[in-house]
Each structure stands twice: as C-alpha cells, then as structure tokens.
C-alpha cells in the first residue's frame, strides 16, 4: 500500500543513492493526515455517487489534488472533510465526469458478460444495487447529502458543503428520503 | 406519496440537525399519535443504516502514491505558516504513533471481497449504447456560494425564487407579455437558449418539464425568465436531470418527459429493445424537419405492467436511412437504433400551419427517437411458441419484473426444461419477459407451473425457441 511513504526520512521503500528522502513539510503532513482520515469515506462516497470504481478512484484523486493546490495557495479549509466532500460531489456531477463515467459503464457491462446467468445472481446483489439505483434517481445534491449524512456529517456541515442554507438542506433531505423510501418500497427493499 | 404531517419532516430533520429537548419531546408525542409518521421516521433511520452499510472501498495504490507524491512535493517547509507549524507538531506525533495500525487496518479493508462492489444491472439483449453517466444526474456544477451559477442551454434548471415570471420575450418592456402562473421554487425547467441580456437581467428561454414532486409541466408557461436579481440572488440555478442508470431501457424512458429524454441521451446512439405500435402521425410528417422530413407515426412501448408516468415515446424514421415502415411493423418486439435530439429537430414541427415551431412543439420534436436502423426480434417467441430453458437455475416469477409484487416461484428451472409460451413479451427491469407454463412441473393442485421468465442477460439467452425441423 505504500503507507510508509508518509514517514519522514524513512528508509523504506529504499531510496537510490542519489535520491534524498523528501522533506515532510507541515503542509504535507496536514494533507497526508487528511488523506488517511478521509480517503475511505470519500472513496465510498464517490463510488455511491458514480457506481463506478475507477471513476470513484479518479474523483478521490482529483479531490485530494485540489486540496494540495488549495493548501499550496495558502488557503486551509476550516472543515477539511466537508470541503473534500463538496469538491468530490461537484466533480461527480460535472458534465465531463458524466461522459467519462458513461464510457466506463460500457466497459463494466462488457466485463459482466462472463458471469453465469441466473436469477439467483440478481437476488444476491439486489439490495445494495437497488439502494444505489434509488440514490441515482435523486438529484446529485440530494444524493450527496444523504451519503454525507450516513457518513456522520451534521446537517450544518452538509449545508455548508453543498452551498445551501440549512432550511433548504433540511427540505431537500426530507424530499430525498421520502423519494428513496418510495423507490425502495416499490423495488421490494424494506426501508 | 409524501405524508403531509409535519412530524415526518421533523423526524427527517432530527437525523441531521439537533432538536431542542422540547422539540424532541413534541416529536415523540406526535409520532406516537401518527402511526404512519412513526413508520416513515423508522424508514428514514433504516435508510441511514443501509447507506452506512454500503461497501467500504479504498483508493487504489496508484492514487495513494500520487497523493503522497503531490503532498510531499508541494510547498517547502520554508514557507510554512505558524499555524501549520503548530498543527504539524500534533499531527506528526499522531501520525508516527498511528500509522502502523492505520496501515494494517487499511490493508484489511482492502482485502474485502471485490464482489461486494456492486456492478450495474445488465440488459438481456446485446450491447446497448448508453447515454448519460451512472444514471447520475446531468447536473452543471452548482456554485457553492449559492449564486445562480451558469445556466447552459440544453440542461435542466431549477427555480429557486418565489413567484418567478415567464415572459414572451427577454426584457420587462410592454412588448414582453407576462405569462401566468408564476413559476415557483422546485419547478424544473429545460433551458432552450440564453443568456440574453436585457434590462440589466440575464434571460433564458425555458420549457417546464415534469419531475417527481414538482407541479405538472403542462400547467406552467414556457418563455423567458431572468436568472437572478440585480444583487446576484439566484432565481434559477442549474438543476439535476433524473436520468436512469445506463443502459437505457424502454421502461425507464417511458417514465421520463420528452425533454428529460433529450437531456439524458443527448447525442448518444441508443439501442432500444421495444414493442412498437402504430400511433397517430405525430412525427414531422408534413412539417419541415430540415431538408428531409422524418417519417413519424409509431410509439415505442414496454408493455410493462407498471404504469409509465412520462410522455409516450414517439419514434420516427430517419429518411436518410434504409429503414422502412415494414422493418418496424406494429405490435412486435424490435431493437431500435437511433438518437434523440437530432439536429434537424431544431427546424421541425409536428404539423400545423406555423412557419416556426413553438417551444412545446420543439420539445416534442427533440424528444422523438429518430431511428436509423432496426433489428428484428432477437427471440422469435410469441404466444403458442414452444421453447426450452438454456441455462441453469432460471427463476420463474409471478409478474414480469424484478421487485416487490413479483413473487419468486419454485422450483428454479434446469437447462433443457421445456416451456410453452403463453404471453409476452414485456420489457421491464431491463429484461424481456415471457409468460410460460412448465409442463414438467406440476403444482400441488395438479396444474402446471405458470409464471414469467426473463429471456436473456447480456445477450446470453436463458430461453430459446424450439426449432421445428
């Protein structure tokens, strides 16, 4: 996993004779700490937003690279987790990302051709798939809000991340929960 | 249907926002008095649990390396701010103590069964050229400041200002007729064109579209709306299209508005198994659809037992193609290849004396699926056909779809099981379904097992017509 790369002056992985261990600046420490704290949350969030693992990986990478740039410009987000979710959410819903994901979906489908056909296989994954399908029917803001809420973000943090007022966030989340509930009931998933 | 009691809204809000003790007590009392509200509150909590249980994934090693490299090659310590120096002291200590354990836990998580990651549900018939992303909305990134953001033609916008007026022309002069009723927050619009600056406002030409939870588009006026107040307060902002996940299927398209189909499938080739029927001539027959008129007059259907909520999906033939009316036929399953929102749509109307199309006509033309190739029925099954199961563990269901209300019947059918087709096809849940009886499986009351089976998945047939030699 290369986790040791974040340690200062480490000898692992081995450096070549002409290389020097990179200096770990306070900024780098901050970013790497944020990465370890949030990468799993963010990757899971990005996956639920896009339902494509490669796209999710790209989104997380781009989000953290933007954090690097932000820090490099001397701006430090007050709430780095919420900031990352906001950036990732915006990236996930951007048009460019949409097209990329569409292409990737085609590849994913082609890969799926090798799987044994049977209705049992459908049932096995039905619940998670239905939940993700239900999320996909929601506007991106609403989807991001529900996922952030499930990750433990407060309503205020969600509103801040999405650039909305708390009142409109509350109303949006209620509508989204209700729509998701109806979808899940219709699809036979108890919720 | 949204339950109207305010306590359901408060129950939802309580999951995200702290309630005062008094409000919490009041909520509990109201939930005790309203069983439906209590049920909904429980459902919202269960949703949160389900979402929290979605598979956890790690980023790839490549991403980890790239971020680490970017962080380390970023700003040098010479430029570190005092705040960072303080922060770093604490963080470095934590990192040094915690990194080993953290790395171990990450490795454990990374070893999760990759099969727990869900993949999109496939379609039973051949490769289907998909349109939008993951079913994800085609949303223009929204300005985080809450400003109007940039509206783009051919995208969805959402009204956020109260009592927004649509007008016949951009501007507030007398020549610009005021339409009624007002547009209200939550109304969704398709942006046809704009911006046009007039009277110090940015104006966009819009057509209301249907969306779940919003008012019916047919009740609302099309026309020009200003996107924001002089101080930048947004009245309209980029919205999200509710696109179904790809690959596109007829059942999903049937539930969409005409312009929703345009947004979700714009410019992308569509391959669509559908049952076509002769309809009224609503194509561009008789109207100027560019250089060559399209040949309209069919409606594509799913025959799904779940009631579609959108506009009928009308199709027309591209005159430049080799498709003719006999290829399409009527009341039969075919695979339609074509596109929505063909460029010619901008010059087309659906009949009538108008020299130029109105916005509603234009929306209708853009929402036509213009077909340039037709594949015949891939299954060749109809009522009375004899067929055979060509896979193992084929499930028979009580209804032709996957989901609640479609019971799972027993037993699963083995390869080689003979079937008699008595109904179908029905296109639902991304599959083509046929109603069958299974002569080799008698039920307890002496009848044959009877139900619906999906005919294929990813182009691999699950049942096949018997060939009479």
């Amino acid at each position: 996993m290369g986790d040791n790369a974040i340690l200062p002056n480490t000898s692992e992985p081995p450096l070549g004779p002409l290389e020097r261990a990179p200096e770990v600046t306070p900024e780098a420490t901050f970013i790497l700490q944020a990465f370890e704290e949030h990468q799993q949350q963010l990757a899971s969030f990005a996956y639920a937003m896009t339902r494509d693992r490669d796209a999710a990986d790209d989104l997380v990478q781009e989000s953290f690279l933007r954090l690097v740039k932000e820090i490099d410009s001397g701006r430090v987000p007050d709430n780095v987790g919420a900031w990352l979710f906001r950036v990732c959410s915006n990236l996930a819903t951007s048009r460019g990302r949409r097209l990329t994901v569409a292409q990737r979906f085609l590849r994913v489908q082609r890969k799926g051709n090798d799987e044994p056909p049977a209705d049992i296989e459908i049932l096995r994954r039905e619940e998670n798939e239905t939940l993700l399908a239900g999320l996909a029917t929601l506007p991106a803001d609403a989807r991001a809000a529900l996922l952030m809420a499930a990750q433990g973000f407060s309503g205020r943090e969600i509103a801040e991340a999405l650039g909305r007022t708390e009142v409109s966030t509350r109303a949006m989340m209620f509508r989204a929960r209700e729509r998701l509930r109806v979808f899940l009931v219709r699809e036979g998933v108890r919720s | 249907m949204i339950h109207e009691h305010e306590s359901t809204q408060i129950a939802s809000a309580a999951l995200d926002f702290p309630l005062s003790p008094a409000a919490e007590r009041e909520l509990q009392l109201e939930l005790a008095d309203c069983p439906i509200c209590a049920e909904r509150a429980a459902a919202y909590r269960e949703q949160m649990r389900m979402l929290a249980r979605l598979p956890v994934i790690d980023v790839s090693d490549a991403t980890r390396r790239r971020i680490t490299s970017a962080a380390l090659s970023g700003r040098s310590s010479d430029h570190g701010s005092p705040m960072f120096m303080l922060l770093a002291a604490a963080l470095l200590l934590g990192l040094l103590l915690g990194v080993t354990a953290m790395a171990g836990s990450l490795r454990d998580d990374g070893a999760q069964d990759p099969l727990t990651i869900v993949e999109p549900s496939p379609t039973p018939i051949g490769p289907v050229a998909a349109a939008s992303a993951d079913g994800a909305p085609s949303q223009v990134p929204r300005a985080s400041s809450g400003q109007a953001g940039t509206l783009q033609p051919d995208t969805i916008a959402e009204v956020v200002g109260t009592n927004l007026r649509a007008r016949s022309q951009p501007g507030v002069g007398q020549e610009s007729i005021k339409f009624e009723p007002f547009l209200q927050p939550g109304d969704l619009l398709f942006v046809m064109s704009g911006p046009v600056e007039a009277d110090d406002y940015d104006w966009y030409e819009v057509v209301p579209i249907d969306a779940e939870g919003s008012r019916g588009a047919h009740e609302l006026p099309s026309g020009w709306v200003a996107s924001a107040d002089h101080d930048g307060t947004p009245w309209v902002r980029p919205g999200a299209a509710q696109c179904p996940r790809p690959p596109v299927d007829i059942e999903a398209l049937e539930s969409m508005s005409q312009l929703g189909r345009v947004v979700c499938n714009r410019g992308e080739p569509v391959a669509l198994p559908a049952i076509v029927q002769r309809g009224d001539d609503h194509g561009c027959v008789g109207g100027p659809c560019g250089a060559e008129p399209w040949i309209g007059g069919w409606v594509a259907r799913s025959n799904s037992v779940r009631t579609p909520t959108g506009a009928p999906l009308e199709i027309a033939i591209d005159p430049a193609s080799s498709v003719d009316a006999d290829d399409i036929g009527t009341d039969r399953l075919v695979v339609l290849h074509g596109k929505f929102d063909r460029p010619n749509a901008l010059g087309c109307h659906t009949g009538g004396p108008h020299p130029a199309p109105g916005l509603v006509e234009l929306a209708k033309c853009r929402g036509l699926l213009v077909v340039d190739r037709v594949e015949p029925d891939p299954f060749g099954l109809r009522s009375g056909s004899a067929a055979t199961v060509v896979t193992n563990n084929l499930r028979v269901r009580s209804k032709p779809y996957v989901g609640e209300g479609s019971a799972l019947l027993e037993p699963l059918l083995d390869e080689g099981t003979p079937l008699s087709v008595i109904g179908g096809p029905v296109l639902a849940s991304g599959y083509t379904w046929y109603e069958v009886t299974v002569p080799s499986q008698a039920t307890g009351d002496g009848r044959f097992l009877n139900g619906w089976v999906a005919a294929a998945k990813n182009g691999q047939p699950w049942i096949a017509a018997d060939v009479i030699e």
Side-chain angles (χ1 to χ4, degrees):
Chain A
M1 285 254 181
D3 302 300
N4 287 338
I6 63 175
L7 291 173
N9 300 319
T10 179
S11 60
E12 290 178 3
L15 300 170
L18 297 178
E19 294 180 82
R20 193 165 62 86
E23 191 174 11
V24 182
T25 64
E27 290 85 351
T29 307
F30 180 83
I31 292 162
L32 293 170
Q33 172 81 349
F35 182 73
E36 294 305 343
E37 268 184 23
H38 299 293
Q39 65 90 7
Q40 271 193 332
Q41 262 190 323
L42 206 61
S44 304
F45 170 80
Y47 178 72
M49 289 290 285
T50 62
R51 287 185 291 154
D52 180 276
R53 193 159 186 173
D54 290 339
D57 206 54
D58 285 351
L59 289 173
V60 174
Q61 179 170 289
E62 183 60 27
S63 301
F64 277 102
L65 290 177
R66 291 193 183 194
L67 178 64
V68 171
K69 193 180 282 184
E70 190 80 356
I71 301 287
D72 202 35
S73 305
R75 296 185 295 270
V76 188
D78 289 337
N79 181 338
V80 71
W83 187 94
L84 285 164
F85 272 77
R86 186 181 75 206
V87 170
C88 191
S89 169
N90 284 340
L91 288 169
T93 52
S94 71
R95 181 174 294 176
R97 181 61 55 198
R98 181 163 57 86
L99 294 173
T100 306
V101 172
Q103 288 156 2
R104 286 196 171 130
F105 252 104
L106 291 176
R107 290 203 292 274
V108 169
Q109 284 156 4
R110 280 194 281 273
K111 281 182 210 163
N113 285 349
D114 299 328
E115 292 194 358
D119 202 57
I120 286 175
E121 186 262 346
I122 300 170
L123 296 172
R124 187 156 52 89
R125 298 181 181 175
E126 204 166 65
E127 182 170 310
N128 268 352
E129 189 172 335
T130 305
L131 182 59
L132 291 170
L135 282 174
T137 67
L138 302 177
D141 267 15
R143 195 180 340 153
L146 293 193
L147 288 166
M148 288 180 72
Q151 300 261 16
F153 284 91
S154 71
R156 175 173 291 184
E157 288 172 322
I158 294 167
E160 184 186 318
L162 299 179
R164 284 173 167 263
T165 65
E166 289 186 24
V167 172
S168 81
T169 301
R170 199 159 53 198
M172 176 184 73
M173 293 180 75
F174 167 64
R175 286 197 302 270
R177 286 192 171 113
E178 187 55 25
R179 277 180 53 177
L180 185 58
R181 185 191 68 77
V182 170
F183 181 93
L184 293 175
V185 168
R186 199 174 64 214
E187 295 298 320
V189 176
R190 181 181 289 275
S191 98
Chain B
M1 180 70 70
I2 290 181
H3 191 59
E4 296 295 343
H5 281 189
E6 194 185 0
S7 53
T8 57
Q9 299 177 34
I10 298 172
S12 167
L15 296 172
D16 316 301
F17 296 87
L19 292 185
S20 68
E24 177 65 39
R25 272 195 306 277
E26 190 175 341
L27 174 62
Q28 293 309 325
L29 287 173
E30 288 194 20
L31 292 180
D33 275 351
C34 172
I36 294 179
C37 304
E39 182 191 310
R40 300 286 158 88
Y44 302 155
R45 287 193 299 273
E46 177 60 17
Q47 271 180 26
M48 290 275 273
R49 281 192 286 271
M50 289 171 69
L51 289 167
R53 284 198 303 261
L54 279 171
V56 173
I57 61 175
D58 259 320
V59 296
S60 67
D61 285 352
T63 289
R64 178 177 290 276
R65 278 195 299 273
R66 177 128 194 247
I67 301 303
T68 303
S69 165
L72 291 173
S73 63
R75 240 171 134 184
S76 74
S77 57
D78 301 344
H79 303 106
S81 65
M83 184 201 71
F84 266 119
M85 299 305 286
L86 286 171
L87 206 54
L91 293 180
L92 265 176
L93 183 61
L95 270 176
L96 289 167
L97 292 173
V99 70
T100 305
M102 193 181 297
S105 88
L106 288 171
R107 269 190 292 274
D108 290 344
D109 291 334
Q112 282 183 337
D113 178 4
L115 289 179
T116 58
I117 302 302
V118 183
E119 67 177 40
S121 178
T123 183
I125 300 176
V128 177
S132 71
D134 50 348
S138 50
Q139 185 183 25
V140 179
R142 186 168 292 165
S144 60
S145 63
Q147 297 300 303
T150 307
L151 298 178
Q152 301 287 342
D154 299 347
T155 61
I156 301 296
E158 181 185 359
V159 177
V160 291
T162 305
N163 292 340
L164 180 65
R165 172 79 76 187
R167 290 172 170 268
S168 66
Q169 295 178 35
V172 294
Q174 285 193 336
E175 70 284 2
S176 179
I177 301 164
K178 297 175 184 173
F179 293 140
E180 291 185 340
F182 288 120
L183 300 171
Q184 299 295 353
D187 288 339
L188 292 184
L189 311 170
F190 180 86
V191 182
M192 281 281 187
S193 63
V196 171
E197 196 176 336
D199 296 324
D200 205 23
Y201 293 101
D202 284 335
W203 297 82
Y204 292 85
E205 192 179 28
V206 298
V207 178
I209 61 170
D210 284 313
E212 193 177 333
S214 69
R215 296 186 290 171
H218 63 281
E219 301 170 13
L220 305 176
S222 300
W224 292 85
V225 295
S227 60
D229 203 345
H230 293 303
D231 64 3
T233 304
W235 292 337
V236 183
R237 68 173 182 180
Q242 293 156 18
C243 295
R245 54 188 172 158
V248 65
D249 69 67
I250 179 66
E251 192 187 31
L253 286 172
E254 278 185 315
S255 68
M256 300 170 73
S257 65
Q258 290 155 332
L259 288 171
R261 292 168 191 151
V262 170
V263 171
C264 294
N265 300 283
R266 187 184 318 118
E268 296 290 336
V270 170
L272 186 70
I275 296 150
V276 288
Q277 290 180 336
R278 266 286 182 192
D280 298 331
D281 281 351
H282 284 314
C284 290
V285 177
C289 309
E292 295 178 278
W294 297 328
I295 305 159
W298 288 271
V299 175
R301 305 174 62 88
S302 65
N303 281 0
S304 171
V305 295
R306 296 187 283 196
T307 311
T309 54
L313 175 56
E314 295 178 17
I315 60 176
I317 298 174
D318 180 353
S321 72
S322 58
V323 176
D324 64 34
D326 289 340
D327 294 328
I328 294 184
T330 189
D331 288 323
R332 70 187 196 204
L333 173 67
V334 289
V335 183
L336 302 168
H337 294 261
K339 287 182 181 177
F340 292 95
D341 198 21
R342 296 286 287 262
N344 283 359
L346 296 175
C348 113
H349 66 76
T350 55
H354 309 295
L359 283 180
V360 174
E361 278 185 319
L362 192 53
K364 198 165 188 175
C365 283
R366 295 184 68 178
L368 272 174
L369 176 62
V370 181
V371 173
D372 54 25
R373 188 159 69 86
V374 177
E375 283 180 64
D377 179 352
F379 303 112
L381 294 169
R382 57 182 57 83
S383 185
S385 296
T388 301
V389 176
V390 293
T391 185
N392 274 318
N393 296 328
L394 181 64
R395 172 69 75 188
V396 184
R397 287 178 177 259
S398 67
K399 297 277 174 55
Y401 58 86
V402 177
E404 188 180 38
S406 176
L408 309 177
L409 305 182
E410 299 290 348
L412 297 170
L413 303 182
D414 291 331
E415 186 171 358
T417 305
L419 307 171
S420 296
V421 177
I422 60 171
V426 169
L427 301 162
S429 306
Y431 296 85
T432 303
W433 302 83
Y434 290 92
E435 187 176 15
V436 297
T437 56
V438 188
S440 60
Q441 298 292 340
T443 57
D445 57 5
R447 296 186 206 168
F448 295 140
L449 176 63
N450 166 227
W452 293 83
V453 292
K457 176 184 177 186
N458 291 336
Q460 297 294 313
W462 288 354
I463 64 174
D466 290 350
V467 178
I468 301 170
E469 298 185 5

